[in-house]
């Protein structure tokens, strides 16, 4: 059920019976020479729409700009500062609770948003307003990603490339996949740390063209497999959350001395 396509009486009928909402979030930022800047929010919205179409749960419009200043050197990247992002998402979430929603799943496709969505979820949870959790598609199917790709890459790699090939193949610059691979980097997190400290802040410090992994491994068929597997995981999460009594989701009372 996509909220913008519904009338207020139809949404009212939904919240009379259901109390779960799905909020897709991503970013508008560089994804190398081969993928569109909207990659993350396109993936998040496609997964959220598919899962809610299958289940009937409520899906809001996507949040398309996130915490992306670490990609700022690349033209076209847009971002808001982290406190602004947190406050915006919290305000949006409290708007949903006003209409009767008490559990929210943030369908997120941008790593830069993760910590901030967790913080918003904690704020809502601590004051007993709602139970809001962050879900990221690639973290729901790590085994499959490792199975189909030798070098998945954390950003702009074959996993995101394959997903966009499935969702919006016309936006993939297929003639630049080798350029993306050869001008980028194969990310080794351990090698990028010095005596246990993470010493970098911006993407460009690790990848000249902003992406990682071997993009030539991506195909629309693999993208479809990833999309279906991740959607199945999201559907299962939504059904699990919907079945939980709200009292079980709220904070535990203080321990007696």
């Amino acid at each position: 059920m996509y909220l913008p396509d519904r009338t207020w009486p139809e949404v009212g009928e939904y919240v009379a019976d259901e109390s779960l909402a799905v909020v897709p979030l991503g970013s508008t930022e560089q994804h190398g020479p081969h993928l569109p800047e909207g990659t993350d929010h396109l993936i998040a919205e496609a997964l959220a729409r598919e899962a809610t179409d299958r289940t009937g749960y409520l899906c809001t419009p996507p949040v398309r700009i996130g915490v992306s200043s670490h990609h700022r050197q690349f033209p076209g990247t847009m971002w808001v500062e982290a406190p602004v992002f947190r406050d915006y998402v919290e305000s949006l979430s409290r708007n949903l609770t006003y209409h009767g929603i008490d559990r929210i799943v943030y369908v997120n496709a941008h790593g830069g948003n993760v910590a901030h969505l967790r913080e918003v979820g904690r704020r809502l949870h601590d004051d007993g307003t709602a139970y809001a959790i962050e879900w990221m598609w690639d973290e729901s199917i790590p085994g499959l990603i490792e199975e189909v790709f030798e070098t998945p890459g954390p950003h702009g790699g074959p996993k995101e490339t394959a997903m966009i090939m499935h969702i919006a193949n016309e936006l993939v610059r297929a003639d630049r996949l080798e350029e993306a691979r050869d001008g980028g980097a194969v990310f080794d997190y351990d090698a990028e740390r010095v005596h246990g400290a993470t010493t970098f802040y911006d993407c460009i410090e690790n990848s000249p063209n902003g992406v990682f992994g071997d993009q030539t491994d991506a195909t629309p068929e693999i993208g479809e497999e990833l999309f279906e597997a991740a959607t199945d995981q999201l559907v299962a999460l939504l059904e699990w959350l919907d079945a939980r009594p709200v009292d079980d989701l709220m904070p535990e009372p203080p321990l007696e001395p």
Side-chain angles (χ1 to χ4, degrees):
M1 180 178 183
Y2 190 51
L3 191 152
D5 293 344
R6 301 292 181 159
T7 66
W8 71 259
E10 291 170 342
V11 178
E13 291 175 2
Y14 174 85
V15 295
D17 296 323
E18 298 284 354
S19 59
L20 189 153
V22 173
V23 180
L25 306 98
S27 67
T28 300
E29 64 183 22
Q30 71 84 19
H31 277 78
H34 64 301
L35 290 180
E37 305 238 349
T39 289
D40 288 343
H41 72 71
L42 289 169
I43 292 173
E45 184 175 11
L47 288 166
R49 294 287 298 272
E50 179 66 20
T52 52
D53 283 349
R54 292 187 191 182
T55 59
Y57 295 122
L58 184 69
C59 181
T60 73
V63 177
R64 294 188 171 98
I65 297 175
V67 182
S68 298
S69 62
H70 49 295
H71 294 284
R72 67 189 184 276
Q73 288 89 352
F74 297 90
T77 292
M78 303 184 71
W79 71 90
V80 294
E81 298 303 327
V84 175
F85 177 80
R86 291 193 296 267
D87 289 347
Y88 179 86
V89 176
E90 181 179 354
S91 181
L92 182 156
S93 301
R94 291 187 185 276
N95 168 269
L96 291 171
T97 68
Y98 176 85
H99 294 295
I101 298 299
D102 61 22
R103 58 203 79 192
I104 301 167
V105 175
Y106 300 124
V107 173
N108 176 42
H110 173 51
N113 295 340
V114 173
H116 310 292
L117 293 173
R118 289 286 298 169
E119 171 60 23
V120 171
R122 174 168 289 281
R123 294 179 189 178
L124 297 170
H125 183 257
D126 285 355
D127 64 17
T129 299
Y131 185 79
I133 53 176
E134 183 266 348
W135 177 86
M136 196 157 177
W137 72 271
D138 55 339
E139 294 181 357
S140 76
I141 52 170
L144 177 58
I145 291 172
E146 290 178 4
E147 177 185 325
V148 297
F149 298 125
E150 184 176 349
T151 54
H155 177 76
K159 60 185 179 182
E160 289 185 328
T161 303
M163 285 286 272
I164 295 298
M165 284 177 169
H166 172 60
I167 295 165
N169 196 31
E170 70 280 5
L171 298 180
V172 179
R173 281 59 168 178
D175 60 336
R176 305 192 75 174
L177 296 180
E178 291 185 2
E179 176 188 343
R181 177 196 63 198
D182 297 340
V186 176
F187 192 81
D188 183 346
Y189 187 75
D190 290 333
E192 301 294 337
R193 293 171 64 84
V194 178
H195 302 301
T198 301
T199 58
F200 57 90
Y201 286 97
D202 293 336
C203 176
I204 201 169
E205 296 174 37
N206 296 310
S207 174
N209 69 2
V211 293
F212 306 85
D214 187 352
Q215 292 76 8
T216 64
D217 286 344
T219 68
E221 292 75 22
I222 293 176
E224 181 178 12
E225 184 179 4
L226 298 177
F227 184 85
E228 292 300 320
T231 301
D232 288 345
Q233 291 294 316
L234 179 55
V235 166
L237 174 63
L238 299 179
E239 292 175 341
W240 172 86
L241 184 56
D242 187 45
R244 302 278 289 177
V246 68
D247 289 344
D248 291 352
L249 300 172
M250 291 298 103
E252 294 289 337
L255 293 173
E256 295 293 333

